[in-house]
Amino acid sequence: MLSQLIDLSTVEQKALEKLEERHRSVRRGAVLQRENEGSNELYILRKGLMMSYVLLDDGSRQILRFLFPGDMLGVSSAVYREAPETLAALSDCVVCPFDRAALSDLMLEHPRLGAMVLVYSQIERVALTDRLAALGRTSAKARVAALLLDLRNRLRGTDKDLTNVFTLGLTQEEVGDATGLTAVHVNRMLRQLEEEHLIAREGGRVTLLDERALARAANYVNRYEGLDLSWLPKGP
């Protein structure tokens, strides 16, 4: 994922490859890290789709982020004794676990890569701020539309050939847990977006028919664009 934003040197590429030496398979539905439990490992998602979530007092689930290949998982847990969120697989996945002490070594030996961990943390923070604002201030249709755009844009990060058609890969309940809606309400909003000719659905695939209108309806901003990385340390 880092290579999508900056040109990595051979030394930096080898440093990242070292973090990915170990592979662990995670079956769909399995929990990789559980909220309020200790963990000394971080992960890089090599394959598949995962999510992070917290459980609320009433037993409901709030999905915080969807995680894609190349994402570094569990970074927030590196600064706490207990994990602040649960990481679970939405499909069959492959992760690369590494001890969190390796993150310290990475920052000392490769300052630019350490700075990029900060960059991604800030992108995630701003995206989460957008989601928080949307939950409190936008319509159900806007929330669902924004999520569809965000999923497509994240998938495009690992598949440059992807255009306006993508596999959703989520149940309506999962979409609801990310947008603060019931599965029934999600279904209603998806049908409304179809009736307005903004999207089409067939066999689990979504087509964005009018991306500009969809973005306007969602008040959506792609937080992986418009970055200023001119301040980054120089590479080796």
Side-chain angles (χ1 to χ4, degrees):
M1 187 67 74
L2 298 184
S3 61
Q4 295 170 19
L5 297 183
I6 59 173
D7 293 326
L8 298 177
S9 69
T10 302
V11 173
E12 289 171 330
Q13 289 174 348
K14 288 182 178 179
L16 291 177
E17 289 170 1
K18 186 176 180 181
L19 296 182
E20 299 184 37
E21 287 177 341
R22 296 163 54 205
H23 291 182
R24 182 185 302 172
S25 296
V26 184
R27 299 293 299 274
R28 172 181 169 84
V31 170
L32 179 64
Q33 170 189 283
R34 197 174 299 277
E35 183 182 1
N36 297 325
E37 291 186 357
S39 175
N40 288 320
E41 286 187 323
L42 282 72
Y43 311 88
I44 294 174
L45 181 56
R46 187 72 175 266
K47 178 183 177 183
L49 177 65
M50 300 191 74
M51 64 177 171
S52 69
Y53 67 85
V54 293
L55 293 178
L56 307 180
D57 289 342
D58 62 0
S60 61
R61 178 180 65 182
Q62 178 63 55
I63 295 177
L64 304 174
R65 293 185 302 278
F66 294 106
L67 304 161
F68 296 83
D71 284 351
M72 190 176 290
L73 317 180
V75 177
S76 59
S77 302
V79 298
Y80 292 101
R81 293 188 183 92
E82 298 177 345
E85 60 191 6
T86 295
L87 301 173
L90 289 166
S91 67
D92 289 344
C93 296
V94 175
V95 299
C96 302
F98 61 93
D99 191 276
R100 62 181 178 180
L103 190 60
S104 174
D105 295 338
L106 186 76
M107 291 178 173
L108 287 171
E109 297 172 13
H110 305 282
R112 195 165 68 133
L113 293 182
M116 286 304 297
V117 174
L118 172 64
V119 167
Y120 270 96
S121 295
Q122 290 305 302
I123 292 172
E124 286 190 350
R125 184 193 67 80
V126 174
L128 198 57
T129 300
D130 289 344
R131 179 83 61 83
L132 177 62
L135 289 175
R137 296 294 181 181
T138 65
S139 67
K141 184 179 82 170
R143 294 182 225 170
V144 173
L147 182 61
L148 293 176
L149 285 164
D150 197 51
L151 289 171
R152 192 287 307 271
N153 289 339
R154 293 300 316 278
L155 288 167
R156 184 180 280 174
T158 56
D159 182 1
K160 298 300 184 183
D161 294 328
L162 192 149
T163 54
N164 64 330
V165 183
F166 64 99
T167 300
L168 182 57
L170 301 174
T171 67
Q172 291 182 4
E173 180 182 7
E174 289 160 351
V175 173
D177 287 347
T179 56
L181 303 169
T182 64
V184 172
H185 207 168
V186 169
N187 182 267
R188 190 180 301 128
M189 292 304 100
L190 289 170
R191 283 191 283 109
Q192 183 176 339
L193 291 172
E194 285 184 295
E195 290 166 2
E196 295 175 4
H197 304 291
L198 296 177
I199 69 169
R201 291 184 294 162
E202 182 178 1
R205 295 176 69 79
V206 174
T207 301
L208 308 183
L209 297 176
D210 190 336
E211 190 172 332
R212 289 186 178 180
L214 193 65
R216 285 196 300 270
N219 193 29
Y220 175 76
V221 178
N222 185 352
R223 294 302 185 182
Y224 283 82
E225 294 180 342
L227 302 176
D228 179 5
L229 303 181
S230 61
W231 56 272
L232 284 174
K234 299 298 182 183

